[in-house]
C-alpha cells in the first residue's frame, strides 16, 4: 500500500541538479519532485552501491564512445587536520 514509488529517472535528475548547482535540498525546484525523496534515494543508493554502479556504467559508455581522455584524469583526496593540534608523534605515543 502507500504511495507509488517516485520515478528513478526523475529522482536521479533531482540528485544531479543538487550536486551540480550546489543548492540546498529544500531549494530543489518542484519539477524534480519532493526534495526528501531525492535525498533519501541518494542516501540509499550510496549505501547499497547503486550510485557506484551508475557511475561505472556512465564511465564505460563514455569510454566506449571515445568521450573520455584518460590522460587528463586525476585523483583527489581530502585531508583533515587533527583536532586540537595533535601531531602524529603524539598519537603514536598513546598507542
Amino acid at each position: 500500500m502507500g504511495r507509488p514509488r517516485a520515478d528513478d529517472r526523475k529522482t536521479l535528475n533531482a540528485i544531479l541538479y543538487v550536486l551540480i548547482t550546489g543548492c540546498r535540498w529544500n531549494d530543489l525546484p518542484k519539477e524534480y519532485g519532493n526534495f526528501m525523496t531525492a535525498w533519501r534515494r541518494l542516501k540509499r543508493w550510496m549505501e547499497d552501491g547503486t550510485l557506484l554502479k551508475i557511475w561505472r556504467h556512465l564511465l564505460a559508455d563514455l569510454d566506449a564512445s571515445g568521450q573520455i581522455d584518460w590522460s587528463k584524469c586525476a585523483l583527489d583526496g581530502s585531508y583533515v587536520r587533527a583536532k586540537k593540534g595533535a601531531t602524529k608523534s603524539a598519537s603514536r605515543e598513546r598507542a
Side-chain angles (χ1 to χ4, degrees), residues 3 6 17 24 28 33 35 37 49 54 57 77 85 94:
R3 292 185 217 180
Y17 180 88
R24 298 179 309 168
L28 185 68
F35 74 93
T37 300
I54 292 170
H57 186 77
R94 290 182 188 170

Side-chain angles (χ1 to χ4, degrees), residues 36-53:
M36 281 303 294
T37 300
W39 182 84
R40 285 187 193 117
R41 193 79 55 91
L42 173 62
K43 185 177 186 296
R44 186 176 331 134
W45 285 350
M46 285 176 25
E47 290 170 352
D48 70 9
T50 300
L51 199 60
L52 184 57
K53 290 176 189 174

Side-chain angles (χ1 to χ4, degrees), residues 5-86:
R5 179 178 168 87
D7 180 60
D8 286 334
R9 169 85 48 159
K10 187 175 181 179
T11 304
L12 178 59
N13 286 337
I15 292 168
L16 292 174
Y17 180 88
V18 170
L19 296 178
I20 290 169
T21 65
C23 77
R24 298 179 309 168
W25 284 103
N26 58 350
D27 290 335
L28 185 68
K30 297 291 182 197
E31 66 196 59
Y32 291 106
N34 185 286
F35 74 93
M36 281 303 294
T37 300
W39 182 84
R40 285 187 193 117
R41 193 79 55 91
L42 173 62
K43 185 177 186 296
R44 186 176 331 134
W45 285 350
M46 285 176 25
E47 290 170 352
D48 70 9
T50 300
L51 199 60
L52 184 57
K53 290 176 189 174
I54 292 170
W55 178 246
R56 287 181 176 162
H57 186 77
L58 175 64
L59 286 178
D61 284 352
L62 291 172
D63 188 37
S65 63
Q67 296 182 40
I68 292 181
D69 182 358
W70 292 106
S71 68
K72 295 182 181 178
C73 291
L75 294 176
D76 189 13
S78 298
Y79 297 94
V80 179
R81 293 183 179 175
K83 291 184 179 179
K84 298 184 182 178

